[in-house]
Amino acid sequence: MTRDTTPASSDCILASPRGRGRAAPPLDGATMSGASSRLLGGALRLLGRAGGMEKAVVRALPAEAKLSISLTLSGSQRQLQRDQAEPLGRALARISASATKSKKRKEPPAPGPPVRLYYRGQPVSEAQTNAEAWQDGAELRVGDAVYRVERNPPMCPELELPRHVMADFPVCPRLRLEFADPDHSLFVWYKQQARGEAGDCPESGAQQRWEEAGHERVFTPAVGDIGARLKLRCTPGDGSRYGESRELELDGPVEAGPGACTFDERHLYTQRQTEEPVTRAVSYNLLADVYAQTEHARTVLFPYCAPYALEMEYRHCLIRKELSGYRADLLCLQEVDRAVFSDSLAPALEAFGLDGLFRLKDKQHEGLATFYRRSRYRLCSQHDILLGEALTADPLHQDLLQSLSCYPGAKDKMLQRSSALQVSVLESTADPSRKVCVANTHLYFHPKGGNIRLLQIAVALSHIRHVAYELYPGIPIIFCGDFNSTPSTGMYSFVRDGTISESHEDWTSNGEEERCNMSLSHPLKLKSACGEPAYTNYVGGFHGCLDYIFIDSESLEVEQVIPMPSHEEVTSHQALPSVSHPSDHIALICDLRWK
């Protein structure tokens, strides 16, 4: 749990805090370094508090019918909702009435003070609409009180920190900003060291001071911070002004980490971001929380894994550190819970420079996520499909559907599957003419489902061909995913070789009732960028290579493949997942160069 410690004073406005708990006093300026004092001092000066003038904060969006006016009247904070199209005079009359509201309902209302709005020294016509009248920098006069109007100032309505924080693991706040952006906002982290023995304190019960710890959006506590408490102050900004600061304190202390993780050695190969014409691609099945946090997972699938290491908060600490350390330009993830994407992954990776796209599976709570480094790529278009739905609805697959109609058992099974294909066309920020088709999928999992995976990959390849050959002729392809197929299967050979014969054994992988013998071909020239590792999935009863990054061999070449963890690292806790590895899969990572 996190605690919103924004001081409840005129210095800050509480706006729908997600963190809960008791408020704490403002940070003592004596604990702040000179640099931080100057930063925050500059922010406060830009807030427009000259001469101790009160503020009237107006929030007005063109798409909304009402605007809000927040100000302090007679010692109480008031917020008025007014129609944007109503005349200003009615809003001013309402403010006058609010200024004289009696707490005793039986008392007759006193006449309200005169209320006028001025802009650039001139009174604003009360016939103007609220949308036109309430301008930034205007002055609202309520009797003898004068308020400076701030229209749509930078705000931080939501600020949230992870429930658990471990030493040497990055802490990424989840925040929602309005009229602001993170690059122009201020972030200051503070830490409060753990109390020693009672005899160590000069005064019993003396309050410990918060010390400044960092000034970046993401903070990584050191091993020496174990036991300390953390607090974050966020001051939203838009490049020209700052809004009210927001503070949030972690309820719990910084905890010890698990020690060495399976990805630590791999991070040594990815310490630097790539530069044109090289791009780093990562494919990784994260193991969805909806599957990890079940009794079946704890007792049957992963009985060797400590129960706490299957909990969402713990695994996400590891995932954030692992993914950020790869410094990927293109990141394709499978088994991403919908809520995890919006509440955890997207905010964390956005702080590391990655923008994300999400595609939910059909009738499921998890799906696919593709992230791209925004300094390197811009999104051109998306072409996501559900594989079963596309087979029947898209004329691209008419021939395959007609052939499959001869095999009703296989057809029904294919159409029942929830698998999706995520296809994103990206363009280089350095050279917009250079585009790439990034595809991401997760095929049917059943061990006897080789025939269904062949049908799914046929639909996927046909759709990718349409995007990369017809919609954007000639752009290279990067096709990532968990294909649930080892290198010996028909699916793998079909992708690599471009053909599959009707006599291949995988067409009868689930017996005669579901057989669907047919010959298929595709024109794409694809190869596995990371080769054929001994395994990318390692659980108690199985290990094998199921994940691949297929690349266009005519346009791309492999610069380097990041080595897999050693077998000793993978099996140090018997199998995956474990306290040192958050998934039952292992990420594939490679650097690719345009030819």
Side-chain angles (χ1 to χ4, degrees), residues 200-272:
D200 295 340
C201 297
E203 296 180 28
S204 177
Q207 182 167 354
Q208 292 180 288
R209 296 157 73 89
W210 289 95
E211 298 177 357
E212 213 175 293
H215 301 91
E216 302 295 333
R217 182 175 172 186
V218 178
F219 176 68
T220 302
V223 173
D225 295 328
I226 293 174
R229 293 183 178 276
L230 298 180
K231 178 185 289 189
L232 171 64
R233 170 177 280 192
C234 171
T235 306
D238 62 5
S240 62
R241 56 180 177 165
Y242 289 101
E244 302 291 356
S245 295
R246 185 75 178 273
E247 287 180 12
L248 200 64
E249 177 187 343
L250 279 171
D251 260 356
V254 176
E255 302 170 4
C261 293
T262 56
F263 45 81
D264 289 341
E265 290 292 323
R266 308 186 85 189
H267 284 173
L268 298 178
Y269 295 87
T270 59
Q271 294 183 51
R272 295 183 179 178

Side-chain angles (χ1 to χ4, degrees), residues 317-328:
C317 281
L318 271 63
I319 287 171
R320 285 191 292 268
K321 181 177 182 179
E322 179 176 9
L323 294 182
S324 63
Y326 291 148
R327 295 174 173 82

Side-chain angles (χ1 to χ4, degrees), residues 399-526:
D399 291 344
L400 177 60
L401 180 62
Q402 186 173 353
S403 299
L404 187 58
S405 296
C406 299
Y407 306 100
K411 180 182 176 182
D412 290 345
K413 178 65 72 67
M414 170 67 179
L415 298 182
Q416 291 168 8
R417 305 279 63 82
S418 61
S419 302
L421 173 70
Q422 189 177 36
V423 180
S424 310
V425 176
L426 307 174
E427 69 178 18
S428 167
T429 55
D431 180 5
S433 67
R434 176 174 285 177
K435 295 179 173 60
V436 61
C437 175
V438 181
N440 183 19
T441 196
H442 186 188
L443 301 186
Y444 183 43
F445 73 94
H446 199 283
K448 294 183 179 181
N451 59 334
I452 304 303
R453 286 187 286 275
L454 275 171
L455 295 171
Q456 289 182 330
I457 199 65
V459 174
L461 292 173
S462 180
H463 185 72
I464 293 170
R465 179 200 61 78
H466 172 66
V467 173
Y469 282 33
E470 297 175 4
L471 300 182
Y472 296 88
I475 67 172
I477 297 165
I478 300 175
F479 188 11
C480 302
D482 176 358
F483 296 85
N484 273 311
S485 305
T486 63
S488 64
T489 60
M491 196 291 312
Y492 182 81
S493 63
F494 179 44
V495 173
R496 180 193 60 193
D497 302 335
T499 61
I500 188 81
S501 72
E502 62 181 343
S503 62
H504 196 283
E505 62 182 2
D506 278 5
W507 290 122
T508 56
S509 60
N510 201 29
E512 281 296 314
E513 289 188 2
E514 288 186 13
R515 77 176 184 88
C516 49
N517 301 77
M518 59 183 77
S519 296
L520 299 174
S521 63
H522 71 83
L524 310 183
K525 307 299 181 184
L526 300 175

Side-chain angles (χ1 to χ4, degrees), residues 40 56 259:
L40 290 177

